[in-house]
């Protein structure tokens, strides 16, 4: 039956979970919607694959008209080989109902060699298994492969002038690892075909495999018995421990026996707070924190992009580059709130304009509050390394940074609505439900990053003017949230010990 055919992606899916494979083949419509962030990852992978073809130029393309016409590629590939072509992109083979499309197939003096392109920065065990099923299919189709390699991103490469593909990409042979795994493939293929051809859904419960090596896209089906707030939401609890509780029949927090659960103090606080509806406020620590702040107070937040292929000189693959900030300022405790913002021109390197306006807007005195100091400090240090002429000013900003996350991270201030999280996305709606990010068009940093990166790549198809307004509105809420959060903390000063 045609539905029993395996591809390299369904082979890897089946190795991860037989139930996921069965659902994919027989109940595809149950698949969770693909998140926008994941679509960006897929598009990025496609673009990197095309770029890697330039390592082996002047090849022929065996791609089909559509995914549903993969047999066209098999015929094209065979024709190209018979005509003496030595570089074939998307070469496709089928053996034993296993279909494998290879990114680049090359014939040199030593013979045929296979190259699979990944957008990752190293070779994983899953990459090796992926290469092994390709090797199995190609070799048994009559191609005497002499080597198979993974082509991946070298994240230590720094762009300096024209993009140097030989430095951007690393080519690593996985031939020996593939040969080690190869003997297992016939049995695995047989097993997975049996799974597909079975008339019943495999009886497999949820487990760590649901996210290893990839987040499964049938969680909406398999996890529907898990409530929105469960033991899986206990902060900083190891995944194994979460499933230990689940396997004991413990799903909601009120089912936990704290005398036996071996939770740390913060986790116990989370559970007790949920069960009893109680809050925890450490008045003394919060007073120390708020009384230690110096006016004028600045509330600062950055947004970044991390292109896989560096766009600008003195940048590396996946390096987080600042493109936007929001800054609220209060000169005194009673003064009117000011707001400043920066959003880069996507046609230029965003960093110089960012630096110069940030230095001007931040002035030279007063504390600068951020939420998760490691992020902003790291981005500022990155800027200093590249733009050393601004070192003194940026170092001055770094020395003024203070972390508003600390009172929540340390659980000095905790209420049940935070559900164990101290991220600003959890703290803000817990304290001020009317300020939820759900009211915005752009609701999270990853979306903002993806949108701006698409503008940089000139692939954005929406209303640029309106979307820039939405980007500014999102970032502005991040710093306004910090203003409101600090106001809430300051009110603790009026509580009695």
């Amino acid at each position: 039956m045609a539905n029993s055919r395996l591809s390299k992606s369904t082979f890897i899916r089946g190795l991860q979970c037989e139930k996921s494979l069965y659902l994919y083949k027989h109940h595809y419509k149950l698949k969770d919607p693909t998140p926008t962030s994941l679509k960006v990852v897929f598009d990025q992978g496609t673009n990197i694959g095309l770029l890697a073809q330039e390592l082996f130029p002047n090849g022929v393309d065996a791609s089909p008209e559509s995914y549903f016409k993969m047999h066209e590629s098999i015929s094209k590939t065979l024709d190209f080989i018979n005509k003496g072509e030595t570089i074939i992109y998307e070469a496709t083979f089928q053996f034993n109902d296993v279909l494998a499309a290879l990114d680049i197939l090359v014939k040199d003096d030593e013979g045929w060699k296979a190259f699979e392109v990944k957008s990752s920065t190293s070779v994983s065990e899953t990459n090796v298994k992926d290469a092994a099923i390709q090797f199995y299919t190609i070799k048994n189709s009559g191609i005497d492969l002499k080597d198979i390699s993974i082509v991946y991103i070298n994240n230590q490469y720094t762009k300096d002038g024209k993009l140097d593909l030989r430095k951007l990409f690393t080519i690593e042979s996985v031939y020996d690892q593939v040969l080690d795994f190869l003997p297992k493939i016939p049995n695995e293929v047989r097993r997975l075909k049996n799974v597909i051809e079975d008339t019943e859904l495999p009886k497999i419960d949820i487990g760590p495999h649901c996210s290893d090596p990839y987040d499964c896209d049938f969680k909406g089906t398999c996890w529907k018995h898990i409530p929105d707030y469960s033991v899986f939401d206990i902060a900083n609890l190891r995944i194994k421990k979460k499933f230990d509780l689940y396997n004991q029949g413990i799903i909601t927090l009120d089912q936990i026996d704290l005398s036996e659960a071996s939770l740390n103090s913060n986790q116990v606080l989370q559970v007790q707070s949920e069960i009893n509806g109680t809050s925890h406020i450490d008045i003394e620590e919060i007073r120390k924190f708020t009384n230690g702040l110096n006016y004028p107070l600045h509330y600062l937040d950055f947004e970044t992009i991390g292109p896989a292929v560096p766009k600008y000189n003195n940048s590396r693959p996946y390096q987080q580059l600042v493109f936007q900030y929001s800054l609220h300022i209060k000169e005194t405790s009673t003064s009117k709130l000011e707001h400043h913002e920066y959003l880069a021109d996507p046609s230029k390197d965003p960093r110089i304009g960012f630096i110069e306006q940030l230095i001007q807007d931040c002035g030279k005195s007063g504390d600068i509050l951020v939420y998760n100091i490691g992020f902003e400090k790291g981005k500022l240090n990155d800027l200093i390394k590249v733009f050393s002429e601004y070192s003194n000013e940026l170092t001055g900003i770094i020395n003024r940074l203070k972390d508003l996350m600390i009172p929540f991270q340390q659980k000095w201030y905790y209420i049940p609505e935070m559900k164990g999280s101290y991220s600003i996305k959890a703290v803000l709606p817990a304290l001020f439900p009317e300020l939820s990010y759900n009211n915005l068009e752009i609701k999270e940093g990853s979306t903002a990053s993806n949108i701006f990166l698409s503008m940089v790549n000139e692939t954005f198809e929406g209303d640029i003017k309106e979307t820039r307004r939405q980007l500014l509105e999102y970032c502005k809420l991040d710093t306004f949230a910090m203003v409101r959060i600090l106001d809430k903390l300051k009110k603790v000063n009026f509580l009695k010990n």
Side-chain angles (χ1 to χ4, degrees):
M1 56 192 293
N3 201 37
S4 68
R5 188 179 71 187
L6 287 166
S7 65
K8 62 177 182 179
S9 61
T10 52
F11 178 79
I12 295 298
R13 180 185 288 270
L15 293 183
Q16 178 170 340
C17 177
E18 292 180 0
K19 186 177 181 181
S20 177
L21 175 62
Y22 189 93
L23 288 168
Y24 184 85
K25 285 291 188 177
H26 297 287
H27 301 282
Y28 186 82
K29 290 183 179 179
L30 293 177
K31 194 160 77 78
D32 302 335
T34 303
T36 303
S37 57
L38 202 54
K39 290 178 182 176
V40 172
V41 172
F42 292 153
D43 290 343
Q44 181 173 260
T46 299
N47 293 334
I48 288 172
L50 293 173
L51 188 62
Q53 291 177 359
E54 297 179 27
L55 294 169
F56 305 93
N58 305 315
V60 292
D61 193 344
S63 298
E65 285 184 21
S66 75
Y67 174 80
F68 302 102
K69 297 182 178 181
M70 290 301 293
H71 279 279
E72 286 182 4
S73 285
I74 299 172
S75 300
K76 278 186 180 181
T77 301
L78 184 59
D79 286 344
F80 286 145
I81 290 172
N82 290 336
K83 289 176 182 177
E85 296 288 353
T86 57
I87 300 174
I88 305 172
Y89 310 135
E90 300 300 324
T92 306
F93 302 88
Q94 183 170 295
F95 172 77
N96 191 21
D97 281 329
V98 178
L99 187 75
L102 178 75
D103 288 324
I104 306 169
L105 181 66
V106 176
K107 189 176 186 181
D108 61 17
D109 293 341
E110 297 175 348
W112 287 105
K113 296 177 180 177
F115 298 88
E116 184 65 11
V117 182
K118 301 296 180 185
S119 57
S120 58
T121 58
S122 62
V123 175
S124 68
E125 181 183 348
T126 302
N127 295 155
V128 172
K129 292 176 180 178
D130 181 284
I133 191 66
Q134 289 181 310
F135 189 94
Y136 164 84
T137 307
I138 297 170
K139 188 87 169 177
N140 283 295
S141 296
I143 304 299
D144 186 19
L145 278 183
K146 299 299 182 183
D147 198 6
I148 185 165
S149 299
I150 305 295
V151 182
Y152 59 92
I153 298 291
N154 168 24
N155 62 357
Q156 298 306 304
Y157 164 64
T158 300
K159 185 176 183 293
D160 182 14
K162 185 180 178 182
L163 198 64
D164 188 335
L165 295 183
R166 294 288 168 184
K167 292 181 179 178
L168 172 64
F169 289 108
T170 298
I171 301 175
E172 182 177 328
S173 172
V174 291
Y175 184 79
D176 291 340
Q177 298 102 299
V178 162
L179 290 186
D180 287 342
F181 188 72
L182 205 58
K184 301 176 183 177
I185 288 184
N187 286 338
E188 294 291 3
V189 168
R190 189 179 305 111
R191 175 176 68 87
L192 297 181
K193 282 185 178 181
N194 288 337
V195 168
I196 295 169
E197 292 168 4
D198 204 333
T199 57
E200 294 186 7
L201 181 69
K203 292 179 173 59
I204 298 175
D205 202 356
I206 63 172
H209 61 271
C210 294
S211 302
D212 184 20
Y214 304 116
D215 269 332
C216 181
D217 43 18
F218 286 99
K219 277 190 173 180
T221 296
C222 298
W223 285 65
K224 60 187 177 184
H225 62 296
I226 303 298
D228 288 340
Y229 192 35
S230 71
V231 295
F232 294 100
D233 298 299
I234 298 177
N236 299 315
L237 187 64
R238 290 180 294 110
I239 190 70
K240 181 182 181 301
K241 181 63 179 175
K242 290 177 180 180
F243 277 106
D244 284 346
L245 291 171
Y246 171 77
N247 291 329
Q248 295 170 41
I250 299 169
I251 296 178
T252 55
L253 273 62
D254 61 334
Q255 296 173 319
I256 296 174
D257 184 344
L258 290 175
S259 65
E260 297 182 359
S262 300
L263 303 180
N264 66 33
S265 58
N266 283 342
Q267 292 161 352
V268 169
L269 172 63
Q270 179 184 350
V271 173
Q272 289 179 328
S273 179
E274 175 64 18
I275 294 171
N276 302 321
T278 53
S279 301
H280 174 77
I281 298 176
D282 189 325
I283 297 174
E284 192 58 38
E285 289 293 349
I286 292 173
R287 280 179 179 166
K288 287 180 189 176
F289 180 84
T290 57
N291 292 340
L293 298 176
N294 302 296
Y295 284 90
L297 282 180
H298 305 69
Y299 304 79
L300 179 65
D301 180 70
F302 295 169
E303 302 298 336
T304 60
I305 53 172
V309 179
K311 297 289 180 182
Y312 315 108
N313 286 341
N314 295 306
S315 68
R316 302 184 309 278
Y318 294 114
Q319 182 179 5
Q320 295 297 309
L321 305 174
V322 291
F323 72 88
Q324 180 181 9
Y325 70 75
S326 173
L327 179 71
H328 276 92
I329 303 174
K330 288 204 77 171
E331 289 291 335
T332 69
S333 60
T334 57
S335 62
K336 185 179 179 181
L337 190 64
E338 301 174 25
H339 183 247
H340 302 269
E341 58 192 2
Y342 174 86
L343 178 57
D345 178 344
S347 67
K348 302 175 182 177
D349 185 332
R351 293 173 291 178
I352 287 291
F354 181 101
I355 292 170
E356 291 180 343
Q357 188 171 320
L358 181 69
I359 290 170
Q360 178 179 329
D361 287 345
C362 283
K364 295 183 179 180
S365 64
D367 288 341
I368 302 173
L369 285 167
V370 293
Y371 207 95
N372 187 8
I373 195 170
F375 178 74
E376 272 79 11
K377 182 181 285 188
K379 299 317 114 195
L380 291 168
N381 278 320
D382 285 347
L383 292 173
I384 289 171
K385 290 175 185 176
V386 177
F387 304 100
S388 57
E389 64 270 30
Y390 297 100
S391 176
N392 289 339
E393 294 92 338
L394 293 177
T395 299
I397 290 174
I398 290 173
N399 291 338
R400 293 160 57 196
L401 294 179
K402 289 189 176 177
D403 197 347
L404 185 58
M405 184 174 74
I406 287 175
F408 305 98
Q409 183 183 40
Q410 298 298 322
K411 298 292 187 291
W412 298 339
Y413 195 114
Y414 184 81
I415 60 177
E417 290 81 2
M418 293 176 188
K419 296 184 176 180
S421 175
Y422 51 81
S423 78
I424 197 167
K425 298 295 188 296
V427 171
L428 179 65
L431 297 180
F432 306 100
E434 71 279 9
L435 290 179
S436 170
Y437 287 81
N438 291 331
N439 298 325
L440 301 179
E441 291 294 325
I442 296 173
K443 299 174 175 60
E444 54 189 20
S446 61
T447 303
S449 176
N450 291 335
I451 287 173
F452 190 79
L453 186 55
S454 69
M455 291 180 180
V456 171
N457 291 333
E458 299 182 345
T459 59
F460 181 74
E461 297 179 348
D463 183 328
I464 290 181
K465 183 177 180 181
E466 171 60 17
T467 305
R468 285 180 67 86
R469 184 195 67 78
Q470 293 169 2
L471 286 167
L472 291 169
E473 186 179 34
Y474 165 75
C475 198
K476 183 178 182 179
L477 181 56
D478 269 346
T479 52
F480 183 68
M482 293 162 62
V483 174
R484 295 294 303 275
I485 289 168
L486 182 61
D487 286 344
K488 176 72 77 170
L489 292 178
K490 284 182 174 180
K491 289 180 180 178
V492 172
N493 288 332
F494 300 103
L495 298 177
K496 293 181 179 180
N497 286 321

